[in-house]
Amino acid sequence: MMHNTPKSYRGMVTSPHHLASQTGRDVLRDGGNAVEAAVAVAACLAVVYPHMTGMGGDGFWLIAEPCGTAHSIHGCGGAAARADLSLYAGYDAIPTRGPLAANTVAGTISGWAAALETGDGRLPLARLLRDAIHHAEEGVAVTAGGAAIAAAKGPELRSQPGSYATIFEPDGRPLVEGQRLRQPALAKTLRMLSENGLADFYTGALGRMIADDLAALGSPVSREDLAAHVASRPEPLRARISGIELFNSAPPTQGFASLMILALFDRLHAEDVDGFDHIHGLVEATKQAFLLRDTHVGDPAYHDFDWQGLLNDGAALDALAAGIDAARASAWPRSSAQGDTCWFAAADSDGRVVSAIQSTYFEFGSGIVLPQSGITWQNRGSSFTIATDGWNALAPGRKPFHTLNPALARFEDGRIMAYGTMGGEGQPQTQAALFTRYARFGVGLQKAVSAPRWLLGRTWGMQSTTLKLEDGFDPGLYDRLASAGHDVERVGPLTAMMGHAGAIVRHPDGLLEGATDPRSDGQVAAW
């Protein structure tokens, strides 16, 4: 298990795939800043990790600037104008695969464009997309995790209209580990973006090509929907805990829940890292945060809840924390969210730190792969409920609830930390695990990521709502948690079920520390 934390001074990137990390580092070497490196990483991940992310999904960014400010970008698309209740007449729920699941605009590329408008970028877009184009044209070796997902999901994906089987099952079967995956149509798309600019995805020749394919395959997303889309720049949510200011993404993401967990745990007693008080306290704080999230978090246009106000209200947080029993588990379960994503981060020598995440929701999104562009379209809109009103109810233009939430922290001693993970329902929990290990208990950054983790609820399509724990904790912990009323399920050694986490910390003297997850195919690439 990896425990040593890589260090450098000139620049650093971490991501769940080594080729993407190396791409970002090389952009830093060529004079790019952290934002440019992160865009290059994002493009590369869209090629080398297609089961997890892609240009047909959504993305969220938090950027800490050298001047001390922090800002966010939401590359998040809303439901198509035609995606109304009449489109789903006769359905009890929106399908999770197929054309009717591909019912929201993809916002990822708008997020890249908005990010590149910030800072003092020096490199042309063609340089940022260079490696992604190469990997799409020449091919990359399929990872073990990618091969396993392709084999498991093949039956429900190959039957979808579009080019899924042509690209991902060229020999009539799922690609296996080590086999070369080529994506020539995606390479062409990336070349068009590098030559015409990122706006081409929404309003140019590429946008017309995308819209034509979506229409031919039966998706309600139209050319007009694409042209109307823009990324937004909401203020990030903030929470103050002992000696640290935390930042996370605002709704429609679950960033509020991630901050609530840490704000509540900051008020609880816990002496030993990964001891009963630590894990029980975080699990119980998670329950409180998720109950609030599932009542009040969604598209801000449909909610009037003051999320930041609650995070600022010390008395209200004290009361919520006081309601947590230090010895007994509260009643559970509840329904859960899932989703596959890619979190990544970059830091440069100027002091800029980026925390970003992008996703197509389920593995390979809707399963709709556009023949002309090679883009896999997300199914984020399948999370909408078919209802006239209420939480996350379907409506044209409405943005769906997002599990995606990148995180940042500023320490009073001058450190800046970017951290995050994939894993749907597990994202706030894994964030809390690695952050508290590092920030509260002083565990080394890489060890904080590598150490065993837990998950309340489900992720990666799991249906059970147990408290799942990996092997490696103190042997007595499992029994003690069970005796306290937790529905404990042991899931064996380190598993991707617990997400693909990572972190970068920038110290006041410019020292950079990075961590990647041994559960992924990732790497810290430092310069």
Side-chain angles (χ1 to χ4, degrees):
M1 187 185 298
M2 296 183 290
H3 285 330
N4 294 328
T5 300
K7 298 176 177 65
S8 71
Y9 282 98
R10 302 186 73 177
M12 183 173 283
V13 173
T14 184
S15 84
H17 196 287
H18 53 277
L19 291 177
S21 297
Q22 293 164 19
T23 287
R25 177 203 56 203
D26 291 347
V27 165
L28 294 172
R29 279 179 170 169
D30 287 352
N33 63 29
V35 169
E36 292 172 309
V39 168
V41 170
C44 193
L45 285 170
V47 175
V48 302
Y49 245 32
H51 54 292
M52 305 290 285
T53 186
M55 291 185 284
D58 286 339
F60 296 85
W61 295 63
L62 281 179
I63 304 172
E65 297 289 356
C67 63
T69 63
H71 57 100
S72 73
I73 296 166
H74 285 194
C76 170
R82 290 181 50 233
D84 58 18
L85 295 180
S86 66
L87 183 66
Y88 297 96
Y91 288 88
D92 295 327
I94 295 173
T96 56
R97 302 290 194 189
L100 292 182
N103 60 4
T104 60
V105 174
T108 288
I109 301 301
S110 71
W112 298 359
L116 291 173
E117 291 171 0
T118 68
D120 55 349
R122 308 174 187 93
L123 300 182
L125 182 61
R127 170 63 190 87
L128 304 185
L129 302 185
R130 184 193 70 189
D131 288 7
I133 292 169
H134 170 83
H135 293 317
E137 284 183 335
E138 299 301 323
V140 294
V142 174
T143 65
I149 287 174
K153 302 298 179 180
E156 66 191 74
L157 293 169
R158 68 177 65 102
S159 61
Q160 301 302 330
S163 296
Y164 176 85
T166 301
I167 296 171
F168 298 108
E169 298 185 353
D171 301 322
R173 57 166 177 76
L175 294 172
V176 299
E177 180 183 1
Q179 195 168 354
R180 188 182 297 234
L181 167 65
R182 289 187 172 93
Q183 301 172 80
L186 198 62
K188 176 184 174 183
T189 294
L190 287 161
R191 285 195 183 280
M192 291 180 69
L193 290 173
S194 69
E195 294 168 2
N196 302 334
L198 296 175
D200 200 45
F201 189 96
Y202 299 99
T203 58
L206 177 58
R208 291 191 294 273
M209 194 164 70
I210 290 170
D212 288 346
D213 272 353
L214 286 169
L217 297 174
S219 165
V221 177
S222 70
R223 186 178 303 179
E224 292 74 21
D225 294 321
L226 292 171
H229 171 78
V230 292
S232 60
R233 297 178 181 271
E235 281 293 311
L237 294 179
R238 303 165 186 247
R240 171 70 64 173
I241 62 173
S242 303
I244 306 168
E245 186 175 20
L246 304 167
F247 302 84
N248 214 302
S249 50
T253 82
Q254 64 175 338
F256 168 75
S258 294
L259 294 177
M260 282 294 298
I261 293 169
L262 293 175
L264 294 177
F265 183 71
D266 192 52
R267 291 161 163 80
L268 303 180
H269 172 81
E271 291 185 356
D272 300 320
V273 64
D274 291 342
F276 175 83
D277 291 341
H278 181 197
I279 295 177
H280 171 79
L282 283 176
V283 170
E284 293 304 298
T286 296
K287 294 175 183 178
Q288 296 286 339
F290 281 4
L291 290 171
L292 287 165
R293 179 199 68 183
D294 293 348
T295 303
H296 299 297
V297 174
D299 187 337
Y302 292 79
H303 290 265
D304 58 3
F305 188 76
D306 187 1
W307 304 284
Q308 188 60 63
L310 179 54
L311 291 166
N312 292 342
D313 190 338
L317 295 173
D318 289 344
L320 286 168
I324 292 175
D325 190 323
R328 295 294 303 172
S330 59
W332 209 246
R334 44 159 300 283
S335 60
S336 304
Q338 63 181 17
D340 293 335
T341 67
C342 284
W343 177 87
F344 49 97
D348 58 36
S349 59
D350 295 330
R352 187 175 292 105
V353 180
V354 177
S355 178
I357 192 166
Q358 62 186 34
S359 170
T360 52
Y361 196 31
F362 283 24
E363 308 96 335
F364 293 103
S366 65
I368 299 299
V369 182
L370 308 186
Q372 296 182 78
S373 64
I375 294 171
T376 300
W377 211 260
Q378 66 183 355
N379 65 331
R380 181 65 60 174
S382 66
S383 69
F384 284 124
T385 59
I386 298 179
T388 56
D389 56 27
W391 183 83
N392 211 35
L394 175 68
R398 186 171 187 171
K399 294 179 179 179
F401 168 76
H402 269 275
T403 54
L404 307 183
N405 66 117
L408 281 172
R410 285 190 181 274
F411 294 69
E412 287 183 353
D413 63 12
R415 284 174 291 165
I416 304 171
M417 181 177 182
Y419 61 103
T421 183
M422 55 76 75
E425 190 85 347
Q427 286 186 44
Q429 302 179 64
T430 292
Q431 285 188 17
L434 71 91
F435 183 82
T436 55
R437 283 169 173 163
Y438 173 81
R440 181 158 172 172
F441 297 104
V443 174
L445 194 63
Q446 182 59 60
K447 185 176 180 181
V449 171
S450 298
R453 295 204 289 262
W454 63 90
L455 170 69
L456 176 69
R458 66 182 173 93
T459 190
W460 281 57
M462 297 199 60
Q463 299 302 313
S464 68
T465 53
T466 57
L467 176 60
K468 301 167 184 64
L469 292 100
E470 292 178 322
D471 292 344
F473 289 103
D474 181 88
L477 176 68
Y478 304 95
D479 288 340
R480 188 171 179 193
L481 287 168
S483 296
H486 294 284
D487 185 9
V488 171
E489 178 185 356
R490 298 187 64 165
V491 295
L494 303 189
T495 169
M497 179 197 308
M498 299 295 168
H500 294 166
I504 291 179
V505 173
R506 187 182 193 277
H507 293 259
D509 66 352
L511 175 67
L512 298 168
E513 295 185 289
T516 192
D517 203 321
R519 301 163 183 82
S520 75
D521 301 288
Q523 177 185 351
V524 175
W527 181 41

